[in-house]
Amino acid sequence: MRQRYIGNSSPIEPPAHAIPPGQVTLPDRRTQRSWSVELAPYQLAATPVTQALYAQITGRRPSTTPGDQLEHACRAGTTGPRYGDLDEIGWYRGNSHEHIHEVGGKRPNSWGLYDMLGNVWDWCWDVYDAEVYGAYRVLRGGGWFDEHWSCRASARRRSHPTFQVDDVGFRVARSIVR
């Protein structure tokens, strides 16, 4: 069985990977606009964790990662919808046998991050579209029950903060203080 991790140093903490600065272009389908976001360097856990596991270990509610950081980290310097062949890098409807899998079971991206696409959607800090959906948050990357076209770097879904499903996780992230 794989270790369960939180943070970045002890056996219960996943290794945090340094993510270099970069730029991501974000679209808004409703308004038909897009904009570029410049990102400072940051650290991101190699695997997603569940909110329940995080709370059990730390006694705190987690703070989630912004979606632009997740998209940048997912791409790992690539420009396509995926950083590799989906069967090699993620669990999705075509290969998951319709169930969630342990994290880290597929090939990581070139920055050492696992499960950036498929298996579980990554819960993000961003509000989806407050004008239309209120408090709904952004989910990124696709899950084990999604078709291949939903498992890509720019894929976004929305969910209410109180909704709990087995195909949503999050990543521990921290800013790098300079």
Side-chain angles (χ1 to χ4, degrees), residues 7-8 13 16 41-44 172-176:
N8 88 348
E13 297 185 1
Y42 55 100
Q43 293 181 325
L44 189 65
V172 177
R174 31 174 95 140
S175 299
I176 296 176

Side-chain angles (χ1 to χ4, degrees), residues 82-99:
R82 299 181 185 94
Y83 53 89
D85 178 78
L86 187 55
D87 283 318
E88 295 177 11
I89 63 173
W91 298 108
Y92 68 105
R93 187 176 290 193
N95 68 2
S96 70
H97 303 289
E98 298 189 1
H99 65 89

Side-chain angles (χ1 to χ4, degrees), residues 140-163:
R140 289 289 197 138
W144 60 265
F145 196 67
D146 292 289
E147 295 291 346
H148 64 92
W149 47 264
S150 282
C151 297
R152 63 186 196 285
S154 63
R156 290 174 13 130
R157 188 172 92 182
R158 66 187 177 277
S159 183
H160 193 270
T162 60
F163 190 57

Side-chain angles (χ1 to χ4, degrees), residues 29-140:
R29 289 187 183 153
R30 184 178 63 84
T31 63
Q32 300 297 309
R33 294 182 313 118
S34 64
W35 60 97
S36 293
V37 177
E38 293 291 330
L39 298 169
Y42 55 100
Q43 293 181 325
L44 189 65
T47 59
V49 297
T50 65
Q51 184 174 2
L53 178 62
Y54 186 90
Q56 174 188 347
I57 293 169
T58 67
R60 300 184 319 256
R61 279 190 60 141
S63 178
T64 56
T65 308
D68 52 1
Q69 287 184 344
L70 279 172
E71 183 173 338
H72 175 65
C74 176
R75 290 184 188 280
T78 64
T79 57
R82 299 181 185 94
Y83 53 89
D85 178 78
L86 187 55
D87 283 318
E88 295 177 11
I89 63 173
W91 298 108
Y92 68 105
R93 187 176 290 193
N95 68 2
S96 70
H97 303 289
E98 298 189 1
H99 65 89
I100 196 167
H101 291 266
E102 284 287 326
V103 298
K106 293 286 188 172
R107 185 171 54 86
N109 69 14
S110 64
W111 291 348
L113 304 173
Y114 292 86
D115 298 297
M116 292 302 294
L117 298 175
N119 207 23
V120 295
W121 288 86
D122 277 298
W123 184 265
C124 300
W125 179 251
D126 315 52
V127 173
Y128 190 81
D129 183 341
E131 187 177 315
V132 176
Y133 298 103
Y136 278 59
R137 298 291 181 170
V138 171
L139 304 175
R140 289 289 197 138

